Amino acid sequence: MMTILAPMSAAFYPNFAEQLAKDYAEENVTAGLWRADTALERARSSTQSALPQGIDTPDQYLFEIKTEENGETAGYLWFSNVERYGVRSAFVYELTVFPQFRRQGHAAAAFRLMEERLQEQGCVAIELNVFASNPGAQALYASLGYVTTKMNMRKPLNADI
């Protein structure tokens, strides 16, 4: 198995943005953070704010995870690499591997390729958030050496959020 990170194409971006919004909305509803009736629009707005220039947004890196050079798209990866307080660090916003490509090592390989790129760019750390309702992602990140640095907790006081 070979995994390649290819810069996201302009043709792929609309599908990425819509799937990202759907997934983000669903995760926030499942976590009890957003109401279902407004979640999708809220997620679309969040994506537009974070990526106002789409694939050309400065300091944002969007990749298609390919099964091989010019192969099928197995998923996507979005991360940033910014300098704050004199230290260059990255933040992973999204990693998705499509269902038919899961459990084949593409996610771990994509992260290793990302880490190589970031080290070459002088990055000293990578951060990410993971929803509590996603134990598969938590296990993947732990296997790659990520550790919990903080935890958010919430107690809902009513069912309407």
Side-chain angles (χ1 to χ4, degrees), residues 4-10 12 55 61-66 117:
I4 304 290
L5 287 183
M8 189 174 288
S9 69
F12 184 80
I55 60 173
Y61 299 88
L62 297 129
F63 290 94
E64 292 177 52
I65 301 169
K66 300 278 194 174
R117 287 176 186 266

Side-chain angles (χ1 to χ4, degrees), residues 92 95 111 128-130 136-147:
V92 176
L95 167 69
F111 260 61
L128 55 82
N129 290 328
V130 62
Q138 293 171 36
L140 169 68
Y141 302 140
S143 76
L144 294 170
Y146 289 77
V147 296

